[in-house]
Amino acid sequence: MTYKNEQNTNILYKGNKIDPNRVSDPEVMPLYLSTAHNVADLDDLQNTYDRKGYAYTRSHNANRDGIAELMTYLEQSENSVITNTGMSAISTTLLALLTSGDHVVADKTLYGESIDFLKTLSKYGILVDFVDITNLDEVASVINANTRILYTETVSNPMMTVANIKAIADLAHSHQSYLIVDNTFMTPVLFHALTDGADVVINSLTKFANGHGDVTLGSISAKAEIIEKIYNLQVLLGTTGDPFDSWLAVLISQ
């Protein structure tokens, strides 16, 4: 953006513009609360979209991109997106990867509201079987030709069931299915589900990742092509993470 001097600056923007030549490299990530960024004209707007620049905060926000970069590093992933809650990370992922006629195999000791959401998928023609995820024979027995996703938590909330991620991943991939793992209780500090074969890792950053009870966020980490599919739906659903919460979560982690 070209800086306009005081003489040419529109009166509407007085006190609301900073000379970019005076901005260097702040030690702490600035907080970007603006819902939109100015463009010169429609061509400039299209150029912003093409380079995935910042135009509208539901699509892109610098603070949200910052914590996405952090989660990508922590989860040893290719890319991540940040959602406004842990549940929206779960729902956005499942809706992006499933279609009518698909089948899901899920742990019966999942977080209660995860189970509730999975049950609502039946109205969209998606069937779900809940199983003892620690019993691989039982898991294998319900997989069929339409099974698209196996879904578990590393350590379930609140029953503390511990899943064998590598074995479940091998089983999922032998049937051309995705393994989605909710890593909330372990966090990437203690476990990397992607390196054990999971295709998608979800975290409720509201809990241990944030740790001080003042942020509500979720994250989704996976290969770039999976994240692109999830991101495209996320923008339409409006489940993107809040800039202030994103900023605060990164600030506290440092």
Side-chain angles (χ1 to χ4, degrees):
M1 180 182 295
T2 302
Y3 176 68
K4 300 178 181 179
N5 62 31
E6 184 69 18
Q7 182 177 356
N8 297 324
T9 300
N10 189 302
I11 191 172
L12 293 176
Y13 293 106
K14 286 186 180 295
N16 196 39
K17 295 292 180 185
I18 298 175
D19 182 350
N21 296 315
R22 296 179 59 196
V23 178
S24 56
D25 186 12
E27 184 175 356
V28 175
M29 175 73 157
L31 175 57
Y32 294 91
L33 292 177
S34 179
T35 56
H37 293 254
N38 293 318
V39 293
D41 49 35
L42 290 178
D43 289 337
D44 188 22
L45 177 61
Q46 186 60 56
N47 179 59
T48 301
Y49 287 147
D50 291 343
R51 60 184 171 83
K52 298 181 180 179
Y54 300 116
Y56 188 61
T57 195
R58 176 162 49 82
S59 301
H60 294 285
N61 174 271
N63 299 114
R64 191 164 59 242
D65 285 353
I67 193 167
E69 180 182 82
L70 176 60
M71 290 307 300
T72 297
Y73 169 77
L74 291 174
E75 286 290 4
Q76 300 182 8
S77 179
E78 287 187 9
N79 205 354
S80 299
V81 292
I82 303 300
T83 62
N84 51 1
T85 67
M87 280 305 303
S88 66
I90 294 165
S91 58
T92 303
T93 298
L94 291 171
L95 291 174
L97 299 181
L98 292 168
T99 191
S100 181
D102 285 343
H103 174 244
V104 178
V105 179
D107 179 22
K108 66 182 180 182
T109 65
L110 292 174
Y111 177 58
E113 290 180 350
S114 297
I115 291 175
D116 291 343
F117 179 76
L118 284 162
K119 288 179 178 179
T120 69
L121 294 177
S122 62
K123 70 174 68 175
Y124 306 109
I126 298 165
L127 299 180
V128 181
D129 279 312
F130 294 96
V131 298
D132 177 358
I133 206 69
T134 66
N135 185 334
L136 293 178
D137 290 335
E138 182 179 345
V139 176
S141 70
V142 298
I143 295 176
N144 61 53
N146 296 324
T147 302
R148 176 72 166 164
I149 286 172
L150 274 64
Y151 186 97
T152 187
E153 297 168 353
T154 44
V155 176
S156 68
N157 175 14
M159 302 303 293
M160 307 301 285
T161 301
V162 180
N164 185 335
I165 300 301
K166 189 176 188 311
I168 300 168
D170 290 343
L171 184 59
H173 298 156
S174 70
H175 291 83
Q176 292 74 53
S177 302
Y178 290 127
L179 172 60
I180 299 177
V181 175
D182 185 329
N183 199 34
T184 297
F185 263 29
M186 292 292 282
T187 80
V189 173
L190 298 176
F191 186 71
H192 294 113
L194 293 174
T195 62
D196 262 25
D199 299 288
V200 181
V201 174
I202 290 169
N203 284 278
S204 173
L205 303 179
T206 308
K207 300 182 176 68
F208 302 121
N210 173 248
H212 48 96
D214 55 9
V215 163
T216 305
L217 288 173
S219 68
I220 309 162
S221 300
K223 289 183 178 179
E225 66 263 23
I226 296 176
I227 289 298
E228 182 177 9
K229 183 179 293 187
I230 294 170
Y231 166 79
N232 289 338
L233 180 63
Q234 179 193 37
V235 171
L236 298 178
L237 293 176
T239 59
T240 47
D242 175 72
F244 180 74
D245 283 0
S246 299
W247 174 82
L248 187 58
V250 172
L251 182 67
I252 294 302
S253 72
Q254 297 173 338

